[in-house]
């Protein structure tokens, strides 16, 4: 399914961001990459996404500079991992804002629970933003984990960007 319109040259930064991030599956792929998923098979299994759609979205994320494609050997075959770039890593506040909005304004019988953000240095649950709700220290990406999410009952460290 191709889009009829592009906003890549729009004067509005929200429109340009939507041009990159607003396709179906894109934010979920970035969410899982942020949680450490790197391999095609794992994205497919975790998301339940069709191979052709996943192939297209991964290629677009690589083309737009949010993921990078790194080769690895699997037996006799060369395969690829998809790792966050700095641009992909910088989408973290968008993911946090969407998670907070979804917790506040949507519901589902299948909902796992709220998306908890943990400030590792003090262990407090916190909200996205500038400072930890528990200790008041500035929130840095390296000091955050996700807890009790759709992916795991434990804490999920956030993947570091490549490069």
């Amino acid at each position: 399914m191709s889009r009829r319109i592009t906003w890549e040259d729009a004067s509005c930064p929200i429109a340009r961001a939507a041009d990159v991030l607003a396709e179906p599956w894109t934010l979920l792929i970035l969410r899982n990459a942020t949680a450490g998923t790197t391999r095609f098979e794992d994205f497919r299994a975790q998301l339940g996404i069709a191979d052709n759609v996943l192939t297209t979205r991964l290629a677009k994320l690589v083309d737009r500079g949010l993921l990078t494609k790194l080769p690895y050997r699997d037996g006799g075959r060369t395969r690829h991992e998809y790792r966050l770039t700095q641009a992909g890593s910088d989408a973290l506040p968008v993911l946090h804002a969407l998670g907070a909005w979804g917790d506040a304004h949507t519901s589902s019988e299948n909902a796992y629970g709220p998306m908890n953000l943990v400030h590792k240095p003090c262990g407090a649950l916190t909200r996205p933003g500038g400072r930890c709700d528990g200790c008041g220290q500035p929130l840095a990406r390296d000091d955050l984990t996700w807890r009790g999410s759709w992916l795991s009952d434990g804490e999920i460290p956030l993947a570091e960007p490549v490069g």
Side-chain angles (χ1 to χ4, degrees), residues 93-148:
V94 174
L95 298 175
H96 285 163
L98 285 169
W101 188 92
D103 282 339
H105 300 289
T106 67
S107 63
S108 169
E109 290 180 15
N110 299 319
Y112 186 85
M115 184 175 173
N116 292 310
L117 191 60
V118 179
H119 185 226
K120 291 188 298 189
C122 73
L125 293 180
T126 190
R127 293 168 295 174
R131 297 195 170 270
C132 175
D133 292 340
C135 68
Q137 292 299 309
L139 292 175
R141 178 190 180 84
D142 294 348
D143 292 337
L144 298 173
T145 61
W146 289 338
R147 182 188 298 157

Side-chain angles (χ1 to χ4, degrees), residues 30-84:
L30 284 175
R31 174 200 66 187
N32 284 36
T34 298
T37 303
T38 60
R39 297 192 175 179
F40 186 94
E41 304 80 29
D42 295 332
F43 283 111
R44 181 180 57 208
Q46 292 168 5
L47 296 171
I49 185 174
D51 286 0
N52 62 326
V53 175
L54 180 56
T55 298
T56 300
R57 293 302 182 274
L58 288 171
K60 285 184 179 183
L61 288 167
V62 169
D63 184 52
R64 292 301 199 104
L66 279 78
L67 296 176
T68 191
K69 192 173 169 179
L70 301 172
Y72 72 94
R73 297 292 290 171
D74 183 17
R77 295 177 59 181
T78 298
R79 294 180 176 241
H80 292 92
E81 289 186 331
Y82 297 88
R83 301 285 180 113
L84 287 172

Side-chain angles (χ1 to χ4, degrees), residues 24-36:
W25 296 105
T26 296
L27 289 167
L28 297 179
I29 291 168
L30 284 175
R31 174 200 66 187
N32 284 36
T34 298

